[in-house]
């Protein structure tokens, strides 16, 4: 299932990336190409949006439609493009800082909208591109050049945040575990509604706490009998993270709910907006109302 | 004919808006020209609000503070405004507010409403009385009531209309206008209608007075048109949504007021470097910060000319009246797509809320020019590059997802033709040139300001946007006094059209800028762009639109 | 003495910063003047980065592209920069990169590092070789290594230093400088130090290149000073936190680069209307949008002059060198508190990252003038009004919570003296006047630009901020060719000081603005404020700082 | 306990308010004055920050120190002032839109900081001042002038949001129930750490769904045996809101955790920053480091 098909992934090759050797982003990029190929998607059918950061450079390095916008603003353009053309398969690839720091408000409200996108957070628990300040997911005590006495804020729990905000698919996986990563990426893309995937991604330069080894030691699978439709159970599992039990991974939560588009009959049943004919005369009837 | 000027005053929540609407509607449908403007506070109930309605058989383009008739829904209205009455002016009010005397139509309005059984019908009773007072068509009044009220309150208001009509006597003998069909529309509605005519199918915005009514107008049309309106979580989201939609190929627009615009400026720059068409409406109100939320000002011009860090090409259009608001919106959408730039439409609260009677918009004058490129999907040799270098700097634009095998990649970093990040100086320079030289193309299409007045003016009034009507009326008044005055009122404002400006500033002995701001923002722009120094300034920044008479007084006093 | 120019190149992550630091430190401590600047890409590993270090026994204020010695940590460095070598220039590198020949110091650097047992010590080996090559003091080099490295890697680097020192031969015979004590400091550190000296106890910011090092510098001092540094969730939070802290009575500051500044502009207006002291540093980088994150530009000036909707008084200071950066920061803090306004400090990446040797800062020249009012807590008759009308527009300021019974109320709405919302025109006008007339007070305290050059120049170069050193060197070069040239370099930029400008533009035949932007932003401001039209422009917007020789070439070519 | 003491509340009287007759804000204002008086606090000891909106006008109408800032930005100035002068008692009074719409990111991150403030959300489930658009707390189906077919987004659950984000006191009360309101306001002010109080507040003009009567019919007390230290239990209770069971009120969650200031020894143990002596010579040692 996760066998790499070289013919299919090649179509997604783009310019050479500028990430550090060993960076967890390499694994995510490769897995994303593989997942898209396995799903039989073609570059022009996909739109990837992102903000700014190391993770957010992903659209630069994969040949699909891409909107590499502003720091923290990966989501609103995704929503706009989704409304304009519901046929585009939309992914978001952005960092933990981009998503939950500068972009926190957009994450919250687009999850509430349950828009049909797959959002991959490359969660290196640090601001990589700006050289190692704390991100919302950095653990307490982690010393950085700004948090000189260690982080004191409660860690933002991406899983719990997403479940409470309204995401309908919420999972965690690991950039160092391709066997786990590719199926989750595929499931997220196939899910109808907001899919948030928290991908643990070692930053080999600026995060010396959460290394490959640390993740290997601390990650563990959700139990077989975990019920992903049970919100409270999903949250309990999510909190194991901050209770110091380690880092659970897998699909925490998945429910079917009407998506944003589902709830706007015109968009749901009609042609994509982008395909509608534009004609000034369509406004004629509205002029009459002012007479 | 004389211009009649009504003032309807009361506190928020008394139904004044409906009363004003009904009066405007009957005047419009009778064939009068009218201009009405609103003065309201930032609260939902209480306080003191008023609407002024000026009408005539000739066009009216400004409000005035010389009132012929006050319709007072409370005592405060009488206290505050009585002194503005002209000779022979009158007050229409309930008998409890003022008793019968010369110049007072003291009527049992509240008693009438009690008879109907609903205090809220007071305003319809006043409307009925007004219809009789001005000898207007009762049947027409009935139609209007039938349009406005629905359900069980309709019957009550029908009754109230009759009671009101019957309690008054006919008093004013107006010249009857020719029956002509005009629209009664305000600036925000005209922008909204322009968006619909211009093919906007996505409007993303966050509520902010006085721009909100563009959003609610468009939202109300979601059922009958192609448009989708989405309320954003904040203004940063709003403009970024719109950019995403524009990227994906629809015509998209956002609107806000100054504070919201302030939050959008980073993304304005994104639109510039990503070369994504964008239309943003800023309906100005007095700043700074929260300022005076429900009042008017023209103080965001300087800001908007250079808003956003770094340098991008942009176009700034100020709208001067509802007609302008409509056609300029449709034009802005075309310009944004043709040049792949942000276009900012500047309006203000005065224009936003002022109802005016105008010629019905002519949709045959509206075009939708998408300037999209075609790309042969079978040409597998060719690779689509979003930022292809071309002679005029404008790269062919295709819609993502529509050409098999080709992708559209946009980037907020400096990039190469394909959209990918670059670091080298050479590409940077070429890309800056590519983008910035669009300004030269824009200079070729800017529309000169309207000139109004005598051919060789001694005094030139220079203004922009919504003060057009106020300035033009002042020009008429001054010229009728034997002065030689002209007004030059800018619509297109950046790039600044300079031909008429240089011509008339060359002729006039005294050049005066008339602006609703503190620092004389147009005058600064003019000096920066042309070196022309303005002689005197009429600057108003108290949240109230300038009156023609204020301009006249200034000229009488200061220009000898 | 000749100025020596070193270039150290490699890819990100090779330890170039440490090597450059060590070389700078030994040169500084030996008594040389030096100027170093960084050219780096927006990535953490790989790519091509380099640092240039120019030193002399005389002051050095600019970088240059004529290289005397390249220290190449990889092949690419040789390829890219070799052509910049002056006659007699040389390359120092590992034997694998180039073999021994005329002008190549080919040394077994990598082999040496292997001997040490840690490839990362390559850079210390190169440092050792450099010390020998330039005949510098080995003991001093040892001290520097001891300062820089800690723990187990110290021993390795000590060993590497020795190996490197021993593998080279002494080659350059430099004039020995007088032993003088100077600081080696870059623009961002100087701003940070200015903040500490100026009494800032709260710095709230969000990371953004190239401003981040102000934050990290201040954060590193949290243990030994009063300052608290808080990383905000975004820039809007950053500036609002700082305003809250300022309101509560401490000296607070924020810093960012253009994109972050764009997000702050709404709150800039709040600072204006709420009359809260605020100091914001904008360390510019090329825009628009994300632009070129690690490079330099001066393209936010026009934006910042009018950033925020509505109209507020503000002061804009451009800093020209580390000394300026330090003293202007302390001055900005005083001005912000005295006039209760926002003060914006404009710097850029070039200055931020350029290390320079300068006279140690003189703290006795620094004052902290709080301009706080006293209020008698026993005077229960009097009520404190935050916005009390006074002659000069500045209201007495007290700290909330410090006067029993009195409260401090600030408001983003237009307000009365007590801070409460108003709607009336009269108060609005008075409050606008109160705030805006602070601009007149600022005009009295602005500092004229630095004039450098011949007394009666034919050619006047006008610039601002970090190009100071580049322009001055160009002036020297041109005057040494027999031209009559002067440079006028603005520090205080808004309100624009006009005295020297008018004086020298009156004398010079050709006035040329030298700016790191596309549109000539200072030239536009000058024309807007004075009507003076600049004749020619040297504009550079490729992310690289202008070289003195580029100015010289332009003048030679264009001014006949 | 909740007896109004006229002598004490009078000191908080300010200018006449501009709210509509019958508006739920009147009850909150009165209760706030009463709570402050009962706690023996004086006007100069208190700082109230707010953004913009009807609710956000509260600081205009109560005589304390006040920072009536920008829409959505009530919290960052509160944090700044708190750091500058830890002696100020800080309250935030703002609307549902101000807090969770424009200001969502600040709510999230200041809860993570667990700053010691009492945050009162006047939750009328609508944008009042701008005349009735949906806020994040407006229920699905509610028709407004913008949401012409009814709200489709998941309701933001202030209680769940606050618990997950890191608030350490999370309660709901009702502006129409002074007996419940005053004690909760007092408890929130007395709580050490971030206290979020979701105050249901009828907007009699623009919210015709959630009226006084609707609240009276739908509000119910948390059970006596509710354990406010149990996060999962608190969340389960919180979700009853969107499960259509009605609107539970009371203290959902309260735990003791180190506050922001507690975790910065200099601030915790030292004088307030505002009281430190400023002296340029303090920088002398730092100059030396550059020699
Ligand atoms: C408005 C704005 N603020 C700040 C920045 C600087 N910046 C770029 S990336 C980044 C943080 C990146 O962190 P994260 O999203 O976790 O991505 P990573 O680099 O770790 O993958 C910041 C603060 C910016 N580009 N724009
Ligand atoms: C930047 C900005 N955007 C928008 C507005 C307009 N605005 C003022 S209050 C408000 C919403 C208020 O809703 P809420 O916070 O729920 O307060 P309420 O009036 O309901 O008490 C909006 C959108 C503004 N003042 N500033
Ligand atoms: S700095 Fe960290 S996140 Fe960035 S590319 Fe290097 S390893 Fe990856
Ligand atoms: S509009 Fe609603 S929230 Fe605003 S004052 Fe009136 S009742 Fe209260
Ligand atoms: Mg990260
Ligand atoms: Mg509300």
């Amino acid at each position: 299932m996760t066998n790499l098909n070289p013919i299919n992934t090649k179509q997604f090759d783009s310019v050479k990336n500028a990430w550090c050797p060993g960076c967890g982003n390499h694994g995510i990029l490769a897995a994303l190409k593989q997942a898209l190929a396995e799903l039989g998607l073609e570059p022009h059918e996909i739109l990837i949006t992102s903000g700014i950061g190391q993770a957010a450079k992903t659209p630069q390095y994969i040949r699909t439609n891409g909107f590499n916008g502003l720091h923290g603003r990966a989501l609103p353009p995704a929503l706009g493009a989704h409304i304009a053309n519901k046929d585009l398969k939309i992914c978001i690839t952005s960092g933990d800082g981009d998503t939950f720091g500068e972009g926190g408000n957009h994450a919250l409200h687009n999850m509430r909208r349950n828009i049909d996108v797959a959002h991959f957070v490359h969660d290196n628990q640090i601001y990589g591109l700006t050289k190692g300040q704390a991100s919302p997911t950095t653990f307490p005590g982690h010393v950085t050049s700004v948090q000189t006495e260690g982080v004191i804020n409660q860690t933002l729990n991406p899983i719990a945040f997403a479940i409470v905000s309204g995401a309908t698919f919420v999972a965690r996986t690991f950039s160092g575990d391709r066997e786990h990563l590719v199926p989750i990426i595929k499931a997220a893309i196939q899910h109808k509604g907001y899919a948030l995937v928290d991908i643990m991604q070692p930053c080999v330069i600026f995060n010396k706490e959460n290394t490959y080894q640390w993740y290997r030691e601390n990650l563990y699978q959700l139990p077989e009998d975990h019920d992903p439709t049970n919100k409270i159970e999903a949250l309990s599992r999510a909190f194991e993270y901050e209770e110091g039990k380690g880092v659970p991974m897998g699909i925490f939560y998945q429910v079917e709910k009407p998506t944003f588009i589902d709830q706007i009959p015109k968009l749901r049943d009609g042609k994509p907006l982008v395909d509608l004919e534009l004609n000034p005369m369509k406004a004629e009837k509205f002029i009459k109302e002012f007479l | 004919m004389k211009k009649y000027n009504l003032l309807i005053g009361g506190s928020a929540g008394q139904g004044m808006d409906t009363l004003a609407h009904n009066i405007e509607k009957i005047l419009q449908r009778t064939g009068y020209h009218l201009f009405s403007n609103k003065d309201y506070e930032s609260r939902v109930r209480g306080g003191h609000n008023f609407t002024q309605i000026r009408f005539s058989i000739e066009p009216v383009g400004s409000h005035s503070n010389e009132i012929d008739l006050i319709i007072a829904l409370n005592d405060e209205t009488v206290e505050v405004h009585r002194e503005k009455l002209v000779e022979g002016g009158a007050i229409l009010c309930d008998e409890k507010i003022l008793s019968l005397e010369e110049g007072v139509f003291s009527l049992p309005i509240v008693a009438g409403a009690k008879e109907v059984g609903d205090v809220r019908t007071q305003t319809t009773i006043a409307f009925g009385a007004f219809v009789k007072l001005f000898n207007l068509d009762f049947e027409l009044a009935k139609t209007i009531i039938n349009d406005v009220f629905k359900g069980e309150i309709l019957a009550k208001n029908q009754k109230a209309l009759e009671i009101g009509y019957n309690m008054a006597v006919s008093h004013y003998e107006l010249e009857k206008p020719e029956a002509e069909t005009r629209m009664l529309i305000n600036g925000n509605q005209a922008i909204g209608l322009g968006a619909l005519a211009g093919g906007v199918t996505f409007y993303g915005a966050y509520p902010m007075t006085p721009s909100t009514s563009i959003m609610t107008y468009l939202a109300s049309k979601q059922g009958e048109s192609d448009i989708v309106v989405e309320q954003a979580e904040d203004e940063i989201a709003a403009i970024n949504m719109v950019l995403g939609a524009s990227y994906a190929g629809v015509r998209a627009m956002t609107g806000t007021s100054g504070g919201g615009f302030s939050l959008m400026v980073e993304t304005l720059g994104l639109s510039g470097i990503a070369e994504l068409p964008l239309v943003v409406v800023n309906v100005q109100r007095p700043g700074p910060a929260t300022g005076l939320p429900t009042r008017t000002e023209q103080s965001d011009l300087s800001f908007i000319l250079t808003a956003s860090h770094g340098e991008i090409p942009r176009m700034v259009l100020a709208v001067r009246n509802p007609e302008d608001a409509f056609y300029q919106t449709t034009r802005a959408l075309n310009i944004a797509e043709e040049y792949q730039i942000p276009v900012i439409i500047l309006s203000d609260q005065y224009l936003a809320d002022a109802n005016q009677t105008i010629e019905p918009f002519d949709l045959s004058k509206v075009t939708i020019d998408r300037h999209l490129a075609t790309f042969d999907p079978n040409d597998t040799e060719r690779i689509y590059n979003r930022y292809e270098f071309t002679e005029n700097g404008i790269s062919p634009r295709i819609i993502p997802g529509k050409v098999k095998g080709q992708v559209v990649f946009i980037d907020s970093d400096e990039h190469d033709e394909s959209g990918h990040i670059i670091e080298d100086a050479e590409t940077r320079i070429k890309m800056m040139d590519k983008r910035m030289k669009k300004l030269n193309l824009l200079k070729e299409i800017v529309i000169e300001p309207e000139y109004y007045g005598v051919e060789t003016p001694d005094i030139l009034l220079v203004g922009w946007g919504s003060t057009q009507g106020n300035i033009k009326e002042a020009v008429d008044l001054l010229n009728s006094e034997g002065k030689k005055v002209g007004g030059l009122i800018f619509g297109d404002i950046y790039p600044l059209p300079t031909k008429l400006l240089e011509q008339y500033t060359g002729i006039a002995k005294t050049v005066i800028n008339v602006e609703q701001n503190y620092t004389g923002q147009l005058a600064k722009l003019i000096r920066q762009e042309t070196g022309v120094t303005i002689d005197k300034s009429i600057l108003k920044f108290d949240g109230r639109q300038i009156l023609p008479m204020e301009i006249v007084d200034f000229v009488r006093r200061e220009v000898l």
Side-chain angles (χ1 to χ4, degrees), chain A, chain B:
Chain A
M1 180 187 172
T2 59
N3 266 353
L4 194 86
N5 180 339
I7 297 160
N8 284 344
T9 67
K10 242 203 150 74
Q11 63 184 325
F12 297 114
D13 286 352
S14 175
V15 300
K16 199 163 155 259
N17 74 58
W19 290 320
C20 307
C23 173
N25 283 320
H26 298 290
I28 301 176
L29 177 63
L32 181 60
K33 288 183 185 177
Q34 187 179 339
L36 293 172
E38 288 183 12
L39 290 170
L41 288 164
E42 291 186 59
H44 71 277
E45 297 171 320
I46 306 155
L47 167 62
I48 305 185
T49 73
S50 74
I52 295 295
Q54 296 283 22
K57 284 185 184 164
T58 306
Q60 301 271 347
Y61 306 140
I62 181 166
R63 190 170 178 275
T64 66
N65 294 299
F67 190 113
N68 192 167
L70 296 169
H71 181 50
R73 316 300 168 197
L75 282 166
L79 171 59
H82 187 46
I83 293 174
N85 184 359
K86 62 177 177 173
D87 288 348
L88 290 170
K89 254 288 159 221
I90 300 187
C91 300
I92 296 121
T93 55
S94 242
D96 41 329
D98 204 65
T99 300
F100 300 118
E102 185 92 40
N105 210 32
H106 311 306
L108 170 61
H109 291 283
N110 283 300
M111 289 173 185
R112 289 184 53 231
R113 290 185 179 100
N114 193 27
I115 57 174
D116 186 13
V117 297
H119 183 168
F120 304 109
V121 179
H122 301 211
D123 187 356
N124 55 9
Q125 307 191 253
I126 208 78
Y127 281 13
L129 190 62
T130 49
K131 308 204 162 179
Q133 303 81 21
S135 96
T137 58
T138 307
F139 286 141
H142 190 147
V143 171
T144 80
S145 58
V146 172
Q147 289 71 28
T148 49
E149 301 297 307
V151 169
I152 62 175
N153 298 346
Q154 171 172 314
T155 313
L156 183 141
N157 186 321
I159 305 295
F161 177 88
I163 294 171
V164 166
S165 300
T168 46
F169 177 103
V170 184
R172 179 180 286 125
T173 179
F174 175 41
S175 78
D177 183 353
R178 178 85 71 100
E179 297 295 313
H180 195 267
L181 181 57
V182 174
I184 294 252
I185 291 181
K186 284 169 66 179
I189 293 174
Q190 286 177 305
H191 174 75
K192 258 193 98 218
Y194 202 108
L196 185 282
V197 185
D198 186 33
I199 309 180
M200 305 320 299
Q201 173 243 320
C203 166
V204 297
I205 307 297
F206 295 114
N207 189 336
K208 306 287 187 190
E209 307 271 330
N210 310 105
T211 58
Y212 280 97
Q213 190 178 342
W214 187 93
Y215 284 118
R216 292 221 168 83
E217 284 165 9
N218 285 277
L219 282 162
Y220 59 89
Q221 293 289 338
L222 291 175
E224 287 280 315
D225 63 353
H226 173 71
D227 174 8
T229 65
N230 184 325
K231 198 198 273 200
I232 285 291
E233 191 181 327
L235 283 169
S236 304
R237 290 292 173 194
F239 292 139
E240 292 176 1
Y241 187 54
E242 57 217 63
E243 288 159 6
K245 294 191 188 153
V247 186
M249 62 195 281
I251 299 174
F252 288 75
Y253 188 60
Q254 181 167 19
V255 291
E256 267 182 51
K257 270 200 184 171
T259 66
F260 180 81
I261 298 270
D262 286 342
Q263 294 178 88
I264 303 175
K266 184 160 63 173
L267 290 178
R268 181 189 58 212
D269 305 329
K271 281 199 267 187
L273 289 185
V274 69
D275 294 336
L276 299 177
E277 181 225 356
L278 304 188
N279 184 345
M281 295 320 279
K282 287 186 174 180
E284 200 166 15
K285 57 183 173 213
F286 303 123
I287 290 183
K288 297 227 172 79
E289 296 171 347
F290 293 97
L291 300 181
Chain B
M1 176 193 128
K2 170 178 168 20
K3 294 187 176 73
Y4 276 84
N5 199 9
L6 313 171
L7 184 148
I8 305 161
S11 66
Q14 281 196 295
M16 270 170 36
D17 280 354
T18 313
L19 173 55
H21 172 82
N22 293 341
I23 291 178
E24 289 167 18
K25 270 320 229 192
I26 198 165
L27 292 171
Q28 171 206 15
R29 296 222 181 130
T30 305
Y32 291 107
H33 293 266
L34 76 83
F35 184 102
S36 93
N37 74 304
K38 277 170 80 167
D39 187 299
Y40 61 109
E41 297 182 7
S42 180
R43 60 192 291 165
V44 170
R45 287 289 176 274
H48 179 63
N49 295 0
F50 61 95
T51 294
Q52 294 180 124
I53 304 172
R54 238 175 136 203
F55 66 101
S56 171
I57 55 167
E58 284 151 23
V60 199
S62 168
H63 70 304
S64 151
N65 265 11
E66 297 170 11
I67 312 291
D68 295 288
L69 177 68
I70 294 172
I71 304 178
L73 299 182
N74 62 7
D75 301 272
E76 194 177 3
T77 302
V78 177
E79 283 157 33
V80 175
H81 301 287
R82 189 166 209 167
E83 54 169 356
K84 297 184 200 153
L85 282 179
V86 297
E87 261 210 46
I91 299 173
L92 166 64
C93 62
D94 184 68
E95 55 194 2
K96 295 266 161 54
I97 296 176
L98 289 175
S99 48
L100 203 65
E101 56 175 292
E102 171 76 32
V104 175
F105 303 105
S106 172
L107 300 174
I109 294 176
V110 175
K114 280 203 187 117
E115 196 186 322
V116 175
D118 188 336
V119 281
R120 288 173 306 168
T121 61
Q122 276 186 57
T123 46
T124 300
I125 292 182
F127 176 53
F130 171 82
V131 171
K132 180 64 155 292
L133 224 52
F134 280 83
N135 248 322
L136 297 166
D137 181 2
F138 185 66
E139 288 308 311
L140 189 50
K142 272 196 346 212
T143 330
I144 289 163
I145 291 297
N146 292 345
D147 284 352
V148 167
F149 297 101
K150 298 273 162 280
E152 49 157 346
I153 56 166
L154 174 57
K156 288 184 182 170
N157 281 285
Q158 284 168 332
K159 189 162 171 208
L161 178 70
E162 236 178 275
I163 294 175
Y165 190 80
N166 290 330
M167 71 174 61
V169 290
S170 107
H171 181 91
Y172 294 93
E173 280 303 329
L174 303 187
E175 232 173 289
K176 291 282 168 237
E178 307 201 4
E180 256 191 279
T181 308
R182 291 194 198 90
M183 299 172 78
L184 176 69
I185 192 165
N186 68 31
N188 274 3
Q189 289 165 333
I191 289 173
L193 203 45
L196 292 173
V200 170
T201 52
F202 179 64
Y203 187 82
Y206 188 78
M208 186 161 192
T209 310
S211 70
T212 313
S213 58
I214 300 175
M215 177 163 48
T216 50
Y217 173 71
L218 290 173
S220 75
K221 299 297 168 232
Q222 287 184 103
E224 309 156 71
S225 75
D226 296 332
I227 203 161
V228 171
V229 175
E230 176 63 10
Q231 180 175 321
E233 54 273 24
D234 55 38
E235 288 86 350
I236 303 176
I239 188 170
N240 275 288
M241 278 176 193
V242 163
L243 267 197
S246 166
Y247 161 81
V250 304
R251 288 201 152 184
M253 192 166 116
T254 186
T256 184
S257 184
F261 191 89
S262 278
L263 291 166
M264 292 182 175
V265 306
E266 189 195 14
T267 308
L268 201 73
L270 174 59
S271 150
I273 192 168
E275 306 192 45
L276 288 167
L278 173 70
V279 176
V280 184
V281 183
N282 176 353
V283 186
Q284 298 163 98
R285 71 190 211 188
T290 309
L292 289 168
T294 60
R295 303 199 177 272
T296 200
E297 196 161 278
Q298 302 181 304
S299 59
D300 296 348
L301 173 61
S302 295
F303 169 40
I304 274 170
L305 292 172
T306 54
S308 204
H309 64 287
E311 294 159 304
I312 55 164
R314 79 188 74 200
M315 185 144 185
V316 182
L317 312 175
V319 293
R320 294 169 288 198
N321 56 57
E323 209 156 2
D324 224 21
F326 175 81
Y327 291 110
Q328 285 285 50
T329 300
T330 65
R331 176 166 166 259
L333 291 160
N334 285 336
I335 293 173
E337 280 205 298
E338 176 163 5
Y339 301 97
Q340 303 172 19
I341 54 163
V343 179
I344 300 139
I345 297 175
L346 272 176
S347 181
D348 59 29
Q349 181 272 329
Y350 180 73
L351 180 56
D353 292 329
N355 281 324
Q356 305 185 39
T357 44
I358 55 169
E359 293 307 301
F361 299 140
D362 182 354
L363 289 172
S364 73
K365 284 193 200 155
V366 174
T367 59
I368 298 181
D369 310 318
R370 307 267 348 236
H371 300 277
L372 291 170
T374 50
F375 198 102
D376 181 359
N378 299 320
D379 186 351
T380 49
E381 294 297 283
R382 227 176 113 199
I383 288 176
Y384 175 74
N385 278 328
R386 178 69 270 270
Y387 302 108
E388 189 182 309
F389 289 121
T390 60
E391 199 150 331
N392 65 3
I394 297 164
S395 311
R397 175 167 164 244
I398 66 171
I399 292 179
K402 294 297 177 192
V403 183
K404 192 175 152 73
Q406 300 296 346
V407 299
V408 181
F409 186 68
I410 72 94
D411 192 0
S412 77
D413 301 270
E414 191 56 277
H415 43 249
D416 59 19
E417 291 184 81
S418 74
H420 291 90
I421 299 182
I422 58 99
E423 292 273 1
D424 69 292
E426 197 193 340
T427 312
R428 164 69 175 177
I429 294 168
K430 282 174 82 172
M431 280 292 167
M432 280 297 285
D433 278 333
K434 167 189 190 329
R435 291 189 295 264
M436 296 304 284
K437 72 186 179 193
K438 295 180 190 176
L439 278 172
N440 298 330
L441 302 177
L442 295 175
K443 280 182 191 152
E444 284 168 26
I445 62 154
V446 288
I447 299 175
E448 289 289 323
E450 185 196 14
Y451 179 73
Y452 182 82
V454 301
E455 221 168 286
T456 54
D458 289 337
I459 300 167
L460 182 69
L461 302 171
V462 182
W464 58 285
S466 74
T467 52
Q468 183 186 43
N470 320 112
I471 291 175
K472 284 167 77 170
E473 188 166 327
V475 167
D476 283 341
L477 288 166
L478 287 163
N479 284 337
S480 73
E481 289 180 6
K483 294 219 161 52
K484 290 179 67 187
V485 181
L488 196 61
I489 303 111
F490 284 82
D492 284 14
I493 207 158
Y494 191 83
L496 186 74
T498 54
K499 223 178 291 166
L500 289 188
L501 179 75
E502 275 162 5
Q503 178 182 328
Y504 284 103
T505 53
I507 296 168
K509 298 193 193 96
T510 310
V511 182
I512 305 171
N513 62 317
V514 182
E515 301 187 58
Q516 298 275 150
N517 57 51
Y518 192 97
T519 50
Q521 303 193 353
L522 176 63
K524 290 207 290 183
L525 176 64
I526 287 174
R527 193 174 196 203
Q528 176 194 298
E529 297 292 310
T530 66
V532 169
T533 305
I534 304 277
D535 305 303
K536 291 178 189 287
S537 296
I538 305 181
L539 301 173
K540 196 164 158 73
F541 44 85
D542 61 1
R544 279 82 177 161
Q545 188 82 350
I546 197 157
L547 290 158
M549 277 311 293
E550 291 180 278
I551 301 172
V552 169
D553 285 345
F554 179 95
V555 171
R556 284 187 191 144
R557 197 172 64 238
E558 302 280 333
V559 189
L560 310 167

